[in-house]
Amino acid sequence: MTYENPKKLGFGTMRLPMKSTMEEGNIDIEEFGRMVDVFLERGFIYFDTAYAYGNAELAVKEALVKRHPRESYTLASKMPTFLLQEASQLEQIFNEQLERCGVTYFDYYLMHDLSRNTYPTAQQTASFEFISQKKKEGKIKNIGFSFHDQACVLDLILTEHPEVDFVQLMINYLDWSNAAIQSRLCYETALKHGKKVVIMEPVKGGSLVNLPEDIAAPLKAFHPDLSIPSWAIRFAASLDQVLVVLSGMSNMEQMLDNTSYMEHFEPLSEQEQELVAQTANQLVEKFKIPCDGCGECTKNCPKNISIPEYFALYNAEQVDVNKGRGAQLDYFATLLFHQGKPSECIDCGKCEAACPKQLHIVENLKKVEQEMEAPTMQMMAAMMGGN
């Protein structure tokens, strides 16, 4: 495992500066180039892109690769596991990515978005064997995968593929204890297998940027000179085995802010950790279905509906600024494939009879069905071309 720079901030390219919000995919290459220059000047070197990020790989070629020596930065990209149908695509897509990025090797290369749904595809196409071979050929320096599922699935993949160097996980202080997303459990699982961690979505797609005034007040009072998103990124970077924390910076203002406090990074103090935990609790309580995840309801459900996990995702969705597009829908889609659906509830009431807190589970499942199951099904239909 190699990483030549101790600075823990990485430049994610999923959300780049745009010339016009009305022109999708119209990346502002000049502004991106200026941001790249500042990032490198301040001593940061890690750039993350992917085949699935629209024209981001091409933008990286123009703004970074053509303008800076190859040894001055490290570049990560990803194989779109969800697009694979046969093993022959691996070589084709990988070579296309090298050309699109304008490089002869990737410092970090990942299988993109592994979960219970996509891991079988990676296995059937021998994807891990492919990236291991590319590492032997010198076209990849470090191999890994990004992950969107629960800790038991991560444990399975790392047990079956100990050859990977690192994993990329969605970790932020709001999802740290979420029963469905399991950020903390996934992090601890990676550590159990001796893997370094790359963190994505530290500000949860922007949800931890503009907090309600009453919730943000204690953070502002403690550190008047620090921005609200700095708390989220510093929380993630404070974890011991974190290689780098990715931030999708879409303008120079965000770049200058992030690099200002990460250039000479200081981990959160014990008091700061307590403030962050209080902030997370306040956010969850704003919209929470007060389920504590005991699981008694599911044990008694004739349709095997994973009620606590659906409720946990619903709670997370309520505070996500990207409602209908947030990461919760990815986790929700996985549950729909492997557990009973909220819409399959038959109103038998066995769950409510078993619930120690006497929650109105049937009523809340209908909310989950309407606000999350329906959008998730629409998303899945769109991804499959409506078929």
Side-chain angles (χ1 to χ4, degrees):
M1 182 71 197
T2 59
Y3 183 59
E4 298 81 2
N5 191 291
K7 292 184 185 286
K8 282 190 169 184
L9 179 67
F11 197 147
T13 63
M14 189 166 68
R15 302 177 182 92
L16 290 173
M18 310 298 285
K19 288 184 178 179
S20 169
T21 56
M22 301 299 292
E23 299 176 54
E24 186 177 353
N26 192 13
I27 298 170
D28 189 336
I29 298 295
E30 291 185 4
E31 179 67 1
F32 181 28
R34 286 189 285 268
M35 292 169 67
V36 165
D37 295 345
V38 170
F39 192 73
L40 292 171
E41 286 167 5
R42 295 192 173 190
F44 302 92
I45 63 173
Y46 193 106
F47 293 83
D48 172 88
T49 190
Y51 188 84
Y53 292 173
N55 293 322
E57 288 180 323
L58 293 170
V60 164
K61 180 178 182 178
E62 296 299 320
L64 172 67
V65 176
K66 285 185 175 180
R67 301 174 59 250
H68 293 277
R70 182 65 181 91
E71 65 274 11
S72 68
Y73 60 86
T74 58
L75 181 61
S77 197
K78 310 176 190 75
M79 173 68 66
T81 318
F82 37 83
L83 295 181
L84 296 177
Q85 296 180 332
E86 53 187 42
S88 62
Q89 291 176 275
L90 293 163
E91 187 77 39
Q92 174 191 342
I93 291 174
F94 183 78
N95 289 336
E96 183 182 351
Q97 288 180 284
L98 288 175
E99 183 176 351
R100 282 164 52 141
C101 291
V103 295
T104 57
Y105 67 91
F106 290 110
D107 300 275
Y108 300 86
Y109 194 79
L110 306 86
M111 296 307 302
H112 198 171
D113 191 18
L114 292 193
S115 68
R116 276 170 281 187
N117 292 346
T118 55
Y119 181 52
T121 300
Q123 293 289 78
Q124 292 159 14
T125 55
S127 294
F128 284 92
E129 291 81 356
F130 175 82
I131 59 177
S132 294
Q133 179 59 36
K134 292 302 174 186
K135 182 178 178 180
K136 290 179 182 177
E137 295 173 9
K139 294 183 179 180
I140 300 172
K141 290 189 176 181
N142 301 279
I143 59 174
F145 59 90
S146 63
F147 182 77
H148 288 92
D149 209 328
Q150 297 182 334
C152 60
V153 182
L154 180 61
D155 187 54
L156 170 67
I157 298 174
L158 289 176
T159 299
E160 294 185 348
H161 293 285
E163 70 272 19
V164 300
D165 300 301
F166 69 103
V167 293
Q168 186 164 307
L169 303 175
M170 189 176 86
I171 295 178
N172 56 73
Y173 67 73
L174 186 58
D175 293 328
W176 186 241
S177 300
N178 186 284
I181 297 172
Q182 299 184 348
S183 287
R184 180 174 190 160
L185 288 174
C186 286
Y187 172 72
E188 291 171 349
T189 299
L191 265 57
K192 182 182 80 170
H193 287 270
K195 305 304 178 185
K196 287 284 188 179
V197 175
V198 173
I199 291 181
M200 56 185 166
E201 299 289 349
V203 296
K204 198 171 173 64
S207 300
L208 302 180
V209 173
N210 297 308
L211 301 180
E213 281 300 318
D214 59 325
I215 294 178
L219 302 180
K220 290 180 178 178
F222 193 89
H223 268 312
D225 56 328
L226 287 181
S227 66
I228 293 301
S230 73
W231 288 85
I233 292 178
R234 289 179 62 229
F235 167 83
S238 296
L239 298 170
D240 289 339
Q241 297 302 311
V242 168
L243 180 72
V244 67
V245 178
L246 301 176
S247 178
M249 295 170 276
S250 55
N251 57 56
M252 184 63 79
E253 181 181 3
Q254 293 172 0
M255 166 67 66
L256 294 174
D257 180 47
N258 283 351
T259 54
S260 69
Y261 57 81
M262 289 299 290
E263 191 169 5
H264 303 289
F265 167 69
E266 293 184 11
L268 293 179
S269 66
E270 186 175 337
Q271 189 174 359
E272 288 173 319
Q273 292 279 9
E274 290 175 1
L275 273 174
V276 165
Q278 291 171 15
T279 301
N281 289 336
Q282 287 178 297
L283 284 169
V284 170
E285 290 299 330
K286 262 184 140 18
F287 302 98
K288 185 178 181 183
I289 298 173
C291 169
D292 60 13
C294 73
E296 291 300 317
C297 52
T298 297
K299 290 178 186 176
N300 289 273
C301 177
K303 290 295 185 179
N304 193 32
I305 301 172
S306 187
I307 296 166
E309 293 175 271
Y310 283 126
F311 284 175
L313 291 172
Y314 176 86
N315 288 335
E317 180 76 355
Q318 301 313 299
V319 294
D320 197 324
V321 297
N322 299 299
K323 280 189 181 180
R325 296 176 290 115
Q328 289 77 230
L329 266 61
D330 291 330
Y331 287 84
F332 205 92
T334 297
L335 280 179
L336 291 178
F337 271 105
H338 298 277
Q339 302 286 148
K341 301 177 177 65
S343 60
E344 292 173 344
C345 173
I346 58 175
D347 299 354
C348 68
K350 291 181 179 180
C351 55
E352 295 185 358
C355 178
K357 301 186 76 171
Q358 298 183 319
L359 297 179
H360 298 297
I361 293 175
V362 173
E363 177 184 331
N364 283 316
L365 275 176
K366 293 186 187 304
K367 291 182 185 177
V368 176
E369 176 190 350
Q370 180 179 359
E371 298 184 34
M372 292 201 70
E373 182 177 339
T376 301
M377 296 301 288
Q378 291 171 3
M379 177 192 74
M380 293 164 60
M383 289 177 64
M384 294 185 291
N387 296 324

